[in-house]
Amino acid sequence: KPELGDQPLVCLMAGSRKSEVQLMAPLYFEVASELLKQNPLLQFVVPAADDARMAQIEEILAQAVVKAPSLSSAVTLQLKGSHEAMAESHLVICTSGTTTLEAMLLGKPMVIAYRAAALNYHLLKRFFKAPFFGLPNLLANKRLVPELLQDDASVDAITQETLRFLNDDDYRHDVIQQFSE
């Protein structure tokens, strides 16, 4: 889209804990690969919370590049600087948590995804009764941004929701406006 410039930037936030990154980073790199098929000009930035997460993400990216070589030139990893990465991005694909609140405060449309270990998920879902799990949606008490949980957090679903933000200016602007409200 002309409004986004020639190389729209998507921030991938897989989480800050080892287990989150292990579950979410491979998924996000698969999504990035699919998005590149739709728009080869896309660029991705992936901030790492610390040295250990950086090493972990580097390893996961190296494995992803074997399957999708286009990722090697489209993905930039950076140590820390998540706030700056989100601020410079056109949208954020993020694991549920405080990152979603920060993205909302920055006025960045987002797709929230979360996967947990199967046993943990089945135990927690029995106790979690809120209609939403993403902080922006919880605060608004309505679905402002897509949130995809467990099996719904698929490559296809995240890709489609992301493409909607990238290709539908009215939708993107409406979500940003609702953030400020």
Side-chain angles (χ1 to χ4, degrees):
K1 291 288 184 183
E3 183 180 15
L4 294 178
D6 290 338
Q7 294 186 320
L9 183 63
V10 176
C11 184
L12 304 176
M13 303 284 292
S16 59
R17 294 189 301 273
K18 182 179 181 178
S19 59
E20 285 177 331
V21 171
Q22 199 61 44
L23 285 169
M24 302 308 294
L27 173 66
Y28 289 172
F29 289 137
E30 283 186 61
V31 169
S33 176
E34 288 301 311
L35 290 168
L36 285 168
K37 291 175 186 174
Q38 301 291 321
N39 182 349
L41 296 177
L42 282 174
Q43 293 292 300
F44 301 88
V45 60
V46 185
D50 55 35
D51 291 328
R53 293 300 69 78
M54 183 68 150
Q56 183 184 16
I57 293 169
E58 285 172 338
E59 184 178 312
I60 294 168
L61 177 59
Q63 293 168 3
V65 167
V66 171
K67 295 180 193 173
S70 60
L71 290 173
S72 65
S73 61
V75 175
T76 301
L77 304 183
Q78 69 180 50
L79 183 59
K80 301 189 180 180
S82 63
H83 181 86
E84 294 79 8
M86 285 191 286
E88 293 173 8
S89 297
H90 294 94
L91 72 105
V92 181
I93 299 173
C94 55
T95 300
S96 182
T98 55
T99 295
T100 62
L101 183 59
E102 187 175 9
M104 183 184 79
L105 293 172
L106 289 168
K108 299 300 172 178
M110 71 193 84
V111 176
I112 304 170
Y114 193 78
R115 286 183 176 172
L119 181 59
N120 291 346
Y121 172 71
H122 290 294
L123 289 173
L124 289 174
K125 81 175 187 173
R126 300 177 89 172
F127 299 104
F128 190 78
K129 301 296 182 197
F132 307 104
F133 67 91
L135 289 174
N137 295 343
L138 284 168
L139 289 171
N141 199 31
K142 67 179 182 177
R143 184 186 184 272
L144 294 180
V145 295
E147 51 182 42
L148 303 164
L149 182 61
Q150 209 62 7
D151 293 338
D152 292 334
S154 68
V155 172
D156 288 341
I158 298 169
T159 299
Q160 291 309 310
E161 294 290 357
T162 302
L163 287 171
R164 185 171 180 205
F165 277 123
L166 289 172
N167 297 328
D168 186 339
D169 291 336
D170 292 335
Y171 174 61
R172 186 175 55 256
H173 290 303
D174 182 54
V175 168
I176 293 168
Q177 179 62 39
Q178 290 184 63
F179 285 166
S180 64
E181 292 172 8

